[in-house]
Amino acid sequence: MSRAPTMPIRQQLSWRAIVLGVVLSVVLSAANAYLGLFAGLTVSASIPAAVLSLGILRFFADANVLENNIVQTAASAGESIAAGVIFTLPALVMLGYWTDFPYFQTVLIAGVGGLLGVIMTVPLRRALVDDSALAFPEGQATAAVLKAGYGETAAVGIGTLLAGAGLGAVAKLGASGLRLWQGTAEAVVSIGQNSSFYIGSYLSPALLAVGYIVGINIALPILIGGLFAWWVAIPAVMAFGGADLPSGVAGAQQVWSEQIRYLGVGAMLVGGLAALWTLRGQLFGAFKQTSSTVLPSEKDLPRALLIGLLVALAIPMSVLYSVLLDSVVGGVLVAFAMLGAAFLFSAVAAYMAGLVGSSNNPVSGVTIATILITALGLYLLFGAEQAGPASALIVGAVVCCAAAIGGDNMQDLKAGAILGASPAAQQIAQILGVIAAVCVLSPILSLLLNAYGMGVSDAAHPHALPAPQASLMVAVVRGVFQGGLPWAWVIGGGVLALATLALDAVLARRGGSFRMPVLAVALGLYLPLSLSVAIALGGLVAWLGGNRTAPEGRGLLAAAGIITGEALMGIFIALPVAFSGNSDVLALDIGGLPLIWPGALLMLGLGVWLWRLARETDRGASASG
């Protein structure tokens, strides 16, 4: 692909672009940390960051489009590194290795992973971005937003984004802070003496917005996985072996927690390995092209600098693993394994981002594969008495952060290639965004842990953030090192994944727009059904509004605003909760139990708003076509 002549790096990497990019990286990392712990999903921040950048930099007469591109490049790094962190590091707390999120260890692990994600994908840039037919949908959309410039469209866009943020914040304050209405609507239909069917939905605008953004092709498979787990597998277990189980919701949730969610473990493992196998030819082809010469305007960061950074990052991790395992040789071997896995899975994530976008990237699937393989290797080498579980989780955390940044990096470089940006300037912006985000994630995670709890709810934390991926990582390492992993359910999940892959292949041959991505189904098997239903409702809204693929226009910005507003309000609510030690510190005494209907009406109203915005975008696309 041709690249427009670029301007000097100093005009792209201006101080105002760097400062704004770093600030947005911090804000968006905090928002996505909360969202990921709550819903198990994160969404790309590139387009919201681009709109915010346009809205702010338009007040500077000499601002240029490549400065805005730098802002969104740095800002989106915060969202991506948050995904890598919250999918993995809370597992160290759930495992009991950490009691909180120690600042320097969190910064080291997340920072090494994020920087490896930048370094490892630099050699692949030309093959995957410049010389490839990969779509990189979010990169193209971001470039289109930035090309729109500083006219009225940008002002309308930022207004929509802020309106969504305000509505999302008010909804979160009413439900989780003031406790004016219930956060979940749920019911159980009993079948016979023991079995029951559970149905429920979180009354969360953020989940509705997540479903709107990922679309029906992701939201529906998540729901299908959830319905199989909660309407087929759980009732069957309760019917044939549930005599000692509590009745109703409690019994269904116990079966899910102790048995059925391991279907998701097996499905994610097989799905991650299948993604690797599918991409083997493209990845090897990309590696062969990395040594080609490029024009000065297309230069990446110098190779000598990258090698120096790689060595600098490997040394502290080798020391950390050596201390954990009480073995220098073992620590070095684990560090080398970490580097190899980070390179491989960063490449996989970069390629998958080109196919399906960053929001739909199966990062958690490849992370589970990494942790399981690492745990098995450590168990065989060191046995169960060493700190193998923590070491395996830290390897997975580094790889997950690297993969998340790798996919995001390529999306940003695609936008830059369309706009004529310097790859080196964007790679510097990525590094700055990673560093800014990892410096604030530790206190944010500590705040959320102390205020809400993570994983399983208890008396101290009755509204714990589910942290589904981190809980899954704990289950895997405990199963390897302590035994007791329900392998029958894990294998059953793998069989379901193979059946899903076969069904997806049939759908692909028929050429229809709907597919059955295996990792989306696996996530549905693992998530509480109430999350899957809320996400599916958002996907249905997008579909009814005419958005058959990725959403565009004001609907996308409204949904991104709703997510950001609810997530940031969740963090603000956590402050008085954490300081007081009382989860009901802000709750109002309204007499009796909180109602359901205010939250349901709010969800309905926001759904109608998103539907109208989707219809507006659909009509505009039809008119232009």
Side-chain angles (χ1 to χ4, degrees):
M1 82 180 247
S2 60
R3 179 186 291 269
T6 189
M7 63 179 62
I9 289 182
R10 65 179 180 275
Q11 293 182 12
Q12 302 176 51
L13 277 170
S14 65
W15 281 109
R16 62 193 175 203
I18 292 173
V19 170
L20 182 55
V22 165
V23 170
L24 290 179
S25 174
V26 169
V27 172
L28 294 172
S29 68
N32 263 326
Y34 177 87
L35 177 66
L37 290 169
F38 176 37
L41 292 169
T42 60
V43 295
S44 175
S46 293
I47 293 175
V51 172
L52 288 171
S53 175
L54 286 169
I56 295 171
L57 292 186
R58 68 199 298 259
F59 293 105
F60 296 89
D62 59 339
N64 61 77
V65 69
L66 296 186
E67 280 185 287
N68 286 283
N69 184 54
I70 289 297
V71 173
Q72 72 83 18
T73 298
S76 64
E79 167 266 321
S80 297
I81 198 67
V85 168
I86 56 91
F87 286 171
T88 51
L89 289 187
L92 292 169
V93 175
M94 298 176 193
L95 191 68
Y97 178 72
W98 285 352
T99 58
D100 208 325
F101 293 91
Y103 186 80
F104 290 107
Q105 289 188 52
T106 301
V107 170
L108 173 64
I109 295 167
V112 167
L115 294 177
L116 284 176
V118 178
I119 294 169
M120 297 297 193
T121 50
V122 167
L124 299 174
R125 180 194 61 79
R126 187 182 181 198
L128 296 184
V129 174
D130 286 356
D131 298 339
S132 172
L134 291 173
F136 289 98
E138 288 153 352
Q140 293 200 54
T142 301
V145 169
L146 292 174
K147 280 183 175 181
Y150 303 88
E152 183 180 353
T153 303
V156 172
I158 197 169
T160 303
L161 188 72
L162 293 177
L167 292 170
V170 169
K172 184 64 179 177
L173 178 62
S176 299
L178 304 179
R179 303 284 171 83
L180 297 177
W181 60 82
Q182 294 185 38
T184 307
E186 56 186 359
V188 167
V189 178
S190 297
I191 306 296
Q193 184 175 359
N194 298 320
S195 187
S196 60
F197 290 90
Y198 168 89
I199 183 64
S201 174
Y202 271 105
L203 302 178
S204 166
L207 294 178
L208 185 77
V210 166
Y212 181 89
I213 290 176
V214 301
I216 196 69
N217 276 358
I218 298 296
L220 184 56
I222 290 176
L223 179 62
I224 290 172
L227 292 177
F228 180 87
W230 289 81
W231 286 11
V232 177
I234 290 176
V237 171
M238 295 183 73
F240 294 104
D244 298 328
L245 291 169
S247 60
V249 175
Q253 290 179 339
Q254 181 176 330
V255 173
W256 169 78
S257 176
E258 296 177 355
Q259 301 179 61
I260 302 304
R261 66 174 180 163
Y262 291 96
L263 288 172
V265 175
M268 283 195 178
L269 176 59
V270 171
L273 295 175
L276 289 177
W277 179 255
T278 302
L279 301 177
R280 66 193 186 283
Q282 293 90 334
L283 291 175
F284 287 134
F287 296 154
K288 294 177 181 178
Q289 301 180 52
T290 58
S291 61
S292 302
T293 59
V294 296
L295 298 173
S297 62
E298 299 179 27
K299 282 188 176 180
D300 299 288
L301 290 175
R303 184 165 298 183
L305 174 62
L306 298 178
I307 294 174
L309 285 173
L310 195 62
V311 173
L313 296 174
I315 291 174
M317 295 307 296
S318 298
V319 173
L320 177 60
Y321 291 129
S322 298
V323 172
L324 281 172
L325 298 170
D326 194 23
S327 168
V328 174
V329 174
V332 173
L333 288 175
V334 172
F336 272 107
M338 176 199 75
L339 292 176
F343 179 63
L344 176 62
F345 291 127
S346 294
V348 171
Y351 190 86
M352 289 299 293
L355 287 177
V356 298
S358 298
S359 298
N360 302 328
N361 216 336
V363 171
S364 56
V366 296
T367 303
I368 291 168
T370 300
I371 288 177
L372 180 57
I373 294 169
T374 304
L376 289 170
L378 289 171
Y379 181 79
L380 292 174
L381 289 173
F382 299 100
E385 300 301 322
Q386 303 290 338
S391 298
L393 286 172
I394 291 174
V395 170
V398 171
V399 170
C400 190
C401 290
I405 287 292
D408 174 76
N409 194 18
M410 286 300 178
Q411 291 286 0
D412 294 333
L413 289 170
K414 179 67 174 184
I418 295 171
L419 298 170
S422 165
Q426 288 189 270
Q427 289 152 7
I428 292 172
Q430 276 275 356
I431 290 172
L432 294 174
V434 166
I435 293 173
V438 299
C439 287
V440 301
L441 279 173
S442 173
I444 289 170
L445 290 173
S446 294
L447 175 65
L448 295 174
L449 173 65
N450 292 319
Y452 299 111
M454 295 179 187
V456 180
S457 298
D458 53 27
H461 298 105
H463 306 288
L465 297 170
Q469 280 85 354
S471 299
L472 190 151
M473 311 300 176
V474 172
V476 169
V477 295
R478 278 181 174 164
V480 171
F481 285 93
Q482 300 176 10
L485 189 68
W487 285 106
W489 290 108
V490 174
I491 293 170
V495 172
L496 285 175
L498 292 174
T500 304
L501 288 167
L503 176 58
D504 187 57
V506 171
L507 293 173
R509 283 198 299 270
R510 292 185 175 180
S513 59
F514 180 74
R515 299 287 298 275
M516 190 65 72
V518 62
L519 287 168
V521 176
L523 187 61
L525 289 169
Y526 191 79
L527 287 176
L529 184 60
S530 52
L531 269 78
S532 302
V533 169
I535 292 169
L537 290 174
L540 179 63
V541 168
W543 181 76
L544 291 174
N547 284 191
R548 300 296 189 263
T549 54
E552 299 174 353
R554 293 176 61 206
L556 171 60
L557 296 176
I562 290 170
I563 291 168
T564 304
E566 180 172 327
L568 293 179
M569 180 56 71
I571 293 172
F572 291 142
I573 291 172
L575 289 169
V577 172
F579 290 140
S580 68
N582 177 11
S583 61
D584 295 326
V585 64
L586 298 177
L588 298 179
D589 185 6
I590 59 175
L593 294 174
L595 303 172
I596 292 176
W597 64 263
L601 286 178
L602 182 61
M603 288 278 282
L604 178 62
L606 289 175
V608 171
W609 184 43
L610 290 173
W611 172 78
R612 289 175 63 89
L613 293 175
R615 294 291 297 168
E616 173 187 295
T617 302
D618 187 51
R619 286 194 299 267
S622 300
S624 63

